Amino acid sequence: MKKLFIDTLGCQMNKSDTERIIGMLSHFDYIVTEDEKDADLYIVNTCAIRQLSADKAYSRLGAWGKIKAEQKKKGRDVKIAIAGCVAQLEKENLLKKFPYLDLVFGSQYLYELPNLLKEIEEKRVCATDNFNAQEKEYNILRTKSVNAWLPIMEGCNNFCSYCVVPYTRGRERSRSVEAIINEAKKIIREGFKEITLLGQNVDSYGKTLEGKPTFAYLLKELDKLEGDFRIRFTTSYPTDITDEVIETVKNSSKICECFHIPMQSGNDRILHEMNRRYNVKEYSSIVKKIRENIKDVTITSDFIAGFPGETDEEFYDTIKAIDELELDYSNTAAYSPRPNTKAGKMTDKFIPEEVKKQRLQILNDKVKEMSLKSNKKYVGKTMQILIDDVKEGVYQGRTRNNKVVHVKGEFKIGDFVDVEITHVSTWCLFANKK
Ligand code: SAH
Ligand code: SF4
Ligand code: F3S
């Protein structure tokens, strides 16, 4: 058996890819080790969304380079590979920059990894051309929990001006309905209680497939599968959410009542500069439509502070929008210039780091306030939770609308239980068993 040490940075899509890598390599005599000092193969699965994420990947490589040199003295040849979005973005440059690096492979080469590992016995390899390695039937060694990731589409055609994803994940492509349904059935058979459908833009599902099955159709097919499980999905592009998707979530018993709909900014000029295809009014009307149709729905977002040229006034439009829309939660980030992107070239309009930091702090404070306000709506209510963890005798579960709940009592991981919410904090709810 050979030992694999793998580190995963970035979004759920990367976590899902890592599960596939581990599962696939288990067919080739690799087992995962937690001991960073003692592995035969090191892989960092990277994220390029912000410079900070890319830098994290580079620091992993640096540390492994040292281990490799030490092992070499002992006559052991360890291999180092970089996967994911930074690999796809930086390509051969990485081989030049890191002399001890053996393999660079993009996400489109994931299923080629066993062959690539043979190739690096002879020479250093960069596999980042535009290519889509055929999906192969391997076990997926999913992280043990109640939730399983299920990618349905990958890539993005939107080219928001700040975003590097279209250059790392490539153009939009969808997996077939059949492949997704089969994987979902397997997930349910393996005992998982929740499936999260993943895509950079789930509402674009099916556009590249024959017959153009829609996302709503896929949701309905998954909802029909037998078993006691929940379905979630992420991420939705605001103006691509169809009425049929809203109807489907409303009428389904398994699909959970939450939408992650990144708004990015609450100012029309900035949205236009970001190349987002909606304005504040259009975003608001989607949120309104979802709220009118789906009871107790959670709507979350992403916002960027300090996009090039953003004035104080424009920034405060974002704060105002969060308030008015009563968003339940949001991810936040300070704008980070990315290679290849349109906004990355607006150097004369870059906002000073200090200002971005201040704006991010204000944004985070607003998000905290909104999260507490949203949680308070549920005090005194009975909600179903799915138990997913236990710490020091206190169990943790999630409601259908994705709120974290702490509850005392005796449960099993994977139980669905009805609880009564007694009180709340900014990030979670506390409950008693009904
Ligand atoms: N497909 C999703 C977002 C994927 S990237 C969508 O369309 O909304 C996840 C989040 O990272 C984005 O929503 C954005 O808020 C943030 N992000 C992307 N590029 C960024 C950059 N250059 N600087 C800061 N944050 C960024
Ligand atoms: Fe990036 Fe925009 Fe595509 Fe989302 S929709 S992945 S933010 S380009
Ligand atoms: Fe990061 Fe790539 Fe995901 S850039 S956010 S790991 S798609």
Side-chain angles (χ1 to χ4, degrees), residues 56-281:
K56 262 193 211 161
Y58 299 148
S59 91
R60 307 305 303 136
L61 292 180
W64 296 342
K66 285 190 191 124
I67 295 177
K68 181 171 170 158
E70 280 165 26
Q71 295 287 2
K72 201 166 180 187
K73 283 186 212 151
K74 296 181 198 158
R76 185 182 188 186
D77 182 24
V78 313
K79 300 287 186 200
I80 304 179
I82 181 166
C85 291
V86 175
Q88 190 58 45
L89 189 68
E90 298 293 339
K91 305 186 172 70
E92 287 88 0
N93 291 341
L94 294 168
L95 290 181
K96 288 188 202 124
K97 203 165 157 186
F98 301 97
Y100 40 81
L101 185 60
D102 298 285
L103 173 64
V104 180
F105 70 105
S107 60
Q108 300 189 33
Y109 276 84
L110 201 133
Y111 288 96
E112 274 296 296
L113 185 56
N115 292 332
L116 296 172
L117 291 179
K118 275 185 217 145
E119 281 183 43
I120 60 169
E121 290 300 325
E122 306 295 326
K123 59 177 193 297
R124 304 169 78 206
V125 175
C126 175
T128 50
D129 292 342
N130 199 1
F131 167 79
N132 216 356
Q134 204 60 40
E135 216 178 278
K136 298 200 177 98
E137 270 286 321
Y138 289 117
N139 285 334
I140 300 168
L141 291 188
R142 296 184 192 277
T143 316
K144 285 245 175 318
S145 90
V146 295
N147 177 67
W149 312 115
L150 177 42
I152 62 165
M153 60 85 66
E154 188 182 0
C156 183
N157 296 352
N158 283 326
F159 291 94
C160 302
S161 66
Y162 51 83
C163 183
V164 81
V165 171
Y167 307 94
T168 66
R169 290 274 171 182
R171 294 294 70 73
E172 264 173 30
R173 53 215 180 270
S174 298
R175 297 175 72 198
S176 72
V177 174
E178 196 194 356
I180 296 166
I181 298 284
N182 285 341
E183 193 172 322
K185 284 183 181 161
K186 210 165 159 210
I187 289 170
I188 301 158
R189 275 202 305 274
E190 285 172 14
F192 290 91
K193 300 290 179 190
E194 201 170 86
I195 297 177
T196 303
L197 308 176
L198 299 179
Q200 267 78 37
N201 181 1
V202 289
D203 303 279
S204 272
Y205 176 76
K207 286 184 184 156
T208 55
L209 296 174
E210 221 183 281
K212 303 206 182 335
T214 61
F215 180 51
Y217 171 78
L218 179 70
L219 282 176
K220 283 181 203 159
E221 290 301 300
L222 287 164
D223 190 46
K224 281 186 210 155
L225 296 180
E226 265 177 47
D228 211 4
F229 67 99
R230 292 170 169 181
I231 301 168
R232 301 188 185 279
F233 56 86
T234 190
T235 300
S236 306
Y237 190 92
T239 36
D240 290 349
I241 301 170
T242 61
D243 289 351
E244 203 186 350
V245 166
I246 299 174
E247 276 297 300
T248 307
V249 177
K250 179 181 173 182
N251 297 330
S252 130
S253 57
K254 295 191 172 88
I255 309 168
C256 292
E257 294 76 15
C258 11
F259 284 79
H260 182 59
I261 324 171
M263 187 186 194
Q264 312 298 1
S265 164
N267 175 273
D268 285 346
R269 190 189 75 85
I270 295 293
L271 285 172
H272 181 74
E273 289 286 299
M274 286 177 160
N275 198 26
R276 299 290 282 185
R277 291 176 276 108
Y278 53 86
N279 56 30
V280 173
K281 206 167 151 211

Side-chain angles (χ1 to χ4, degrees), residues 4-67:
L4 163 70
F5 188 90
I6 186 161
D7 219 349
T8 311
L9 309 166
C11 65
Q12 291 105 326
M13 190 73 94
N14 264 14
K15 291 186 182 127
S16 167
D17 284 348
T18 290
E19 291 177 344
R20 274 154 219 271
I21 290 173
I22 296 172
M24 182 165 54
L25 292 188
S26 73
H27 292 255
F28 296 86
D29 283 346
Y30 280 91
I31 50 160
V32 170
T33 176
E34 302 294 323
D35 181 359
E36 195 169 355
K37 290 263 177 315
D38 178 30
D40 299 287
L41 172 63
Y42 292 84
I43 304 177
V44 59
N45 193 4
T46 59
C47 171
I49 205 80
R50 287 182 285 277
Q51 190 54 41
L52 203 69
S53 356
D55 290 343
K56 262 193 211 161
Y58 299 148
S59 91
R60 307 305 303 136
L61 292 180
W64 296 342
K66 285 190 191 124
I67 295 177

